[in-house]
């Protein structure tokens, strides 16, 4: 995407730089490009992951195991956004945390590129850790570029930032997916490492345009807290090492010894974190009410992501085995389906941004609650649509590629109603004490959704069966209607936040 740098017309003292990026602070360009390359590496690897896991030339696992690994991995990426935000708040500050994260992600992709199943899971772990460190902090730095929650450019800034995510996500399957599927799996993972290297270099060069507060550690750890944190971390690490050593040496180890605890953590930790913040006595009455309202958004988002993220696992594995992956007689790699959503985002996001602004000027823009409920209904509708290609496949035929494209289209519209608004409302409703950490809380909704998918797969539930798909679709629609029905109470709890 070509940058449009002009002299900023906003008042002096606005966080960021004196130039602008599409009418936004110049620092947004740096964060836009960093996120674009990081997403290029992440989504390229993610497009390959379920296919590599089931491929005879890959790990050759069952579809259920592959879905479980994929779901647990994605769940872990977003789960680690919480401690990532904590590091930004208390140890390194957002800017340094993002720089370290980029290096860890790059190392993880290089590890995935090694032709060994033993190092493969270590590579996934490194990418998950790096992504967790990066996600919450880079989104927080976007918020730092604006003068406050009431800055009228704020929602638009997050939408532009979201475009960077999808630009990288669009190119990745076309490049990394094609090389991985048609040339060599591990060469594809190596290209993901190159993408992250480019993103890290760009971030280091352009960081001078970021707001000064991005380098500040908001609430640094005291010497006593550092000592206590290191001691607790060492104890828990020691327990894990001893436990898995015993399991391994006694011959009882299976992959589920890793998958089951991680999926359970993905469900339990989000509940514990929300409960801890809600009960924090340092929060004033306004912040308490905002958190009560935020829980509604969190639950709605968790249901949404549970279905939405199966576009990279359940739908991808279905396409690999049961779809006619061709257009007008031209065959294409299965991983290319993962480019459908981001190209639609890039086409539709500006339209949505313009549409919300036009409605806002007329005083008719839908509330956040209406947008959320509509997103849930649409993601449920996408899985009702999924029933058609499933029925075709069960009849012994290959489903047309356009069925899958239609599913991704409906999910994309739902995503545009829910996700950018969720990022923005999180920064608006975050208690001051939990600045960066609240972005981590938002990403825990993805953790909870994907962990639920992982648990279903581990339990042996076939997610490509019509009954299961219909049940998930119904759940999303019912949740969307429930959020809409209680919109009055949630608005009251939100106070002045819209």
């Amino acid at each position: 995407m070509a940058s449009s740098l002009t002299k900023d017309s906003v008042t002096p003292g606005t966080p960021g730089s004196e130039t602008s990026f599409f009418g936004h602070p110049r620092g947004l360009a740096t964060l836009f490009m960093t996120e674009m390359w990081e997403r290029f590496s992440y989504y390229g690897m993610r497009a390959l992951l379920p296919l590599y896991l089931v491929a005879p030339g890959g790990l050759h696992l069952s579809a259920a195991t592959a879905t479980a690994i994929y779901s647990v991995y994605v769940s872990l990426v977003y789960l680690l956004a919480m401690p990532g935000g904590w590091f930004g708040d208390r140890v390194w500050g957002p800017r340094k945390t993002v720089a370290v994260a980029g290096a860890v992600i790059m190392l993880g992709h290089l590890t995935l590129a090694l032709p060994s199943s033993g190092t493969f899971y270590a590579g996934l772990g490194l990418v998950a850790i790096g992504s967790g460190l990066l996600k919450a902090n880079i989104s927080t730095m976007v918020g730092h570029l604006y003068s406050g929650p009431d800055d009228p450019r704020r929602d638009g800034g997050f939408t532009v930032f979201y475009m960077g995510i999808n630009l990288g996500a669009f190119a990745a399957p076309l490049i990394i997916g094609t090389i991985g599927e048609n040339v060599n799996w591990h060469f594809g993972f190596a290209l993901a490492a190159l993408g992250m290297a480019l993103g890290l270099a760009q971030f280091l060069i352009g960081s001078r345009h970021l707001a000064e507060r991005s380098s500040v550690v908001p609430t640094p750890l005291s010497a006593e807290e550092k000592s206590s944190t290191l001691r607790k971390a060492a104890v828990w690490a020691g327990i894990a090492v001893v436990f898995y050593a015993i399991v391994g040496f006694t011959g009882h180890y299976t992959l589920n010894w890793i998958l089951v605890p991680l999926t359970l953590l993905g469900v339990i930790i989000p509940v514990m974190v929300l409960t801890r913040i809600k009960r924090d006595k340092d929060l004033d009455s306004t912040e308490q009410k905002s958190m009560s309202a935020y829980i509604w958004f969190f639950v709605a988002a968790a249901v949404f992501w549970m279905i939405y993220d199966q576009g990279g696992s359940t739908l991808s594995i279905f396409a690999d085995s049961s779809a006619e992956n061709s257009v007008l007689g031209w065959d294409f790699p299965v991983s290319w389906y993962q480019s459908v959503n981001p190209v639609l985002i890039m086409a539709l996001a500006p339209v949505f941004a313009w549409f919300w602004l036009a409605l806002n000027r007329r005083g008719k823009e839908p509330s956040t609650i209406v947008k959320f409920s509509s997103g849930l209904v649409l993601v449920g509708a996408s899985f009702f649509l999924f029933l058609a290609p499933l029925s075709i496949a069960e009849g012994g035929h290959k489903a047309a590629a356009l069925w899958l494209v239609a599913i991704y289209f409906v999910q994309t519209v739902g995503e545009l109603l829910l996700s950018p608004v969720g990022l923005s409302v999180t920064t608006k409703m975050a208690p001051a004490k939990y600045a960066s950490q609240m972005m981590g809380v938002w990403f825990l909704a993805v953790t909870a959704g994907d962990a639920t998918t992982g648990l279903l797969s581990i339990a042996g539930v076939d997610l490509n069966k019509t009954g299961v798909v219909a049940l998930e679709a119904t759940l999303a629609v019912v949740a969307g209607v429930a959020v809409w029905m209680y919109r009055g109470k949630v608005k009251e709890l939100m106070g002045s936040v819209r």
Side-chain angles (χ1 to χ4, degrees):
M1 178 176 293
S3 63
S4 175
L5 299 178
T6 60
K7 287 295 180 182
D8 201 349
S9 59
V10 297
T11 40
T14 298
S17 174
E18 293 181 356
T19 56
S20 72
F21 177 68
F22 292 108
H24 294 273
R26 172 61 178 82
L28 184 62
T30 296
L31 299 176
F32 174 95
M33 295 296 292
T34 303
E35 186 75 349
M36 183 195 75
W37 282 114
E38 189 273 334
R39 293 292 88 182
F40 174 85
S41 69
Y42 174 75
Y43 280 103
M45 181 276 289
R46 208 171 93 159
L48 288 181
L49 182 58
L51 304 175
Y52 174 74
L53 292 173
V54 300
L59 297 187
H60 205 193
L61 302 173
S62 68
T65 303
T67 300
I69 292 172
Y70 177 93
S71 300
V72 168
Y73 165 69
V74 177
S75 165
L76 190 60
V77 166
Y78 290 92
L79 176 63
L80 291 172
M82 189 68 192
W86 180 86
F87 263 87
D89 273 347
R90 311 219 59 193
V91 183
W92 291 328
R95 190 181 302 187
K96 183 177 179 180
T97 303
V98 167
V100 172
V104 174
I105 293 169
M106 183 175 63
L107 179 61
H109 288 303
L110 288 172
T111 306
L112 290 173
L114 300 174
S116 168
S117 59
T119 58
F120 182 79
Y121 295 107
L124 285 180
L126 287 170
V127 176
I129 291 170
S131 297
L133 287 170
L134 185 141
K135 289 192 71 63
N137 289 287
I138 198 167
S139 296
T140 298
M141 286 193 289
V142 174
H144 287 169
L145 296 172
Y146 300 95
S147 55
D150 296 327
D151 191 321
R153 302 170 302 163
R154 191 182 184 93
D155 281 9
F158 274 102
T159 300
V160 172
F161 177 69
Y162 210 65
M163 291 282 285
I165 294 174
N166 289 283
L167 185 61
F170 164 70
L174 302 180
I175 300 172
I176 295 175
T178 301
I179 297 297
E181 284 191 67
N182 296 338
V183 180
N184 182 277
W185 295 107
H186 298 285
F187 189 28
F189 295 133
L191 284 179
L194 175 61
M196 189 65 252
L198 292 171
L200 178 59
Q202 186 279 149
F203 177 78
L204 295 175
I205 293 170
S207 59
R208 68 184 183 277
H209 297 294
L210 302 176
E212 290 184 6
R213 64 184 291 202
S214 295
S215 297
V216 176
V217 181
T219 53
L221 291 172
S222 65
E224 182 180 345
E225 287 175 316
K226 286 181 182 178
S227 177
S228 174
T229 301
L230 289 172
R231 186 167 56 251
K232 290 176 182 178
V235 168
W236 283 108
I239 291 173
V241 168
V242 171
F243 175 79
Y244 282 104
I246 293 173
V247 172
F249 285 125
T250 56
H252 292 91
Y253 178 80
T254 65
L255 193 58
N256 279 349
W257 281 104
I258 292 289
L259 296 179
V260 172
L262 290 177
T263 51
L264 290 175
L265 286 174
V267 174
I268 295 170
I269 289 179
V271 174
M272 292 177 60
V273 169
L274 285 172
T275 301
R276 177 176 62 84
I277 295 176
K278 183 69 178 68
R279 292 181 176 178
D280 192 333
K281 295 181 179 179
D282 290 341
L283 272 60
D284 59 33
S285 59
T286 300
E287 290 176 325
Q288 286 282 355
K289 287 183 178 179
S290 290
M291 280 305 301
S292 295
Y294 187 74
I295 290 173
W296 285 81
F297 295 124
F298 183 93
V299 174
V303 175
F304 178 90
W305 295 117
M306 179 186 71
I307 294 177
Y308 177 91
D309 272 348
Q310 289 184 58
S313 56
T314 303
L315 287 175
S316 185
I317 292 173
F318 172 83
D320 190 36
S321 62
S322 304
E324 189 68 45
N325 303 310
S326 64
V327 177
L328 300 176
W330 174 68
D331 296 333
F332 58 86
V334 175
S335 56
W336 282 25
Y337 283 112
Q338 301 310 307
S339 288
V340 174
N341 168 263
V343 77
L344 289 172
I345 288 285
M346 289 187 290
L348 297 176
V351 176
F352 271 71
W354 169 84
F355 186 58
W356 297 143
L357 185 60
L359 288 179
N360 182 268
R361 287 170 177 166
R362 294 170 174 80
K364 296 181 179 180
E365 181 181 2
S367 67
T368 297
I369 301 166
V370 172
K371 293 175 184 177
F372 258 69
S373 61
S374 300
L376 278 167
V377 170
L378 283 172
V379 84
S382 76
F383 259 35
F384 278 125
L385 186 60
F386 187 24
L387 295 175
L390 282 174
S391 299
I392 293 170
E394 288 176 359
H397 304 286
K398 292 279 188 178
L402 287 178
W403 280 113
L404 295 174
V405 172
I407 294 169
Y408 287 121
F409 174 81
V410 176
Q411 290 186 346
T412 299
V413 176
E415 181 186 6
L416 284 167
L417 287 168
L418 184 142
S419 191
V421 177
L423 284 169
S424 183
V425 81
T426 296
T427 62
K428 290 178 181 178
M429 298 178 70
K433 183 178 178 180
Y434 296 98
S436 291
Q437 293 181 59
M438 275 303 291
M439 292 308 304
V441 172
W442 165 250
F443 293 126
L444 284 181
V446 187
T447 293
D450 282 302
T452 302
T453 301
L455 284 173
L456 291 172
S457 298
I458 292 170
V461 176
D462 187 346
L463 297 175
N464 270 318
K465 289 295 185 182
T466 54
V468 177
V469 170
L471 182 62
E472 291 183 86
T474 302
L475 172 64
V477 172
V478 169
V481 172
V483 169
W484 182 81
M485 288 178 64
Y486 284 91
R487 65 193 182 281
K489 181 173 179 59
V490 178
K491 282 182 181 178
E492 179 185 343
L493 292 172
M494 289 174 69
S496 62
V497 175
R498 286 292 179 267

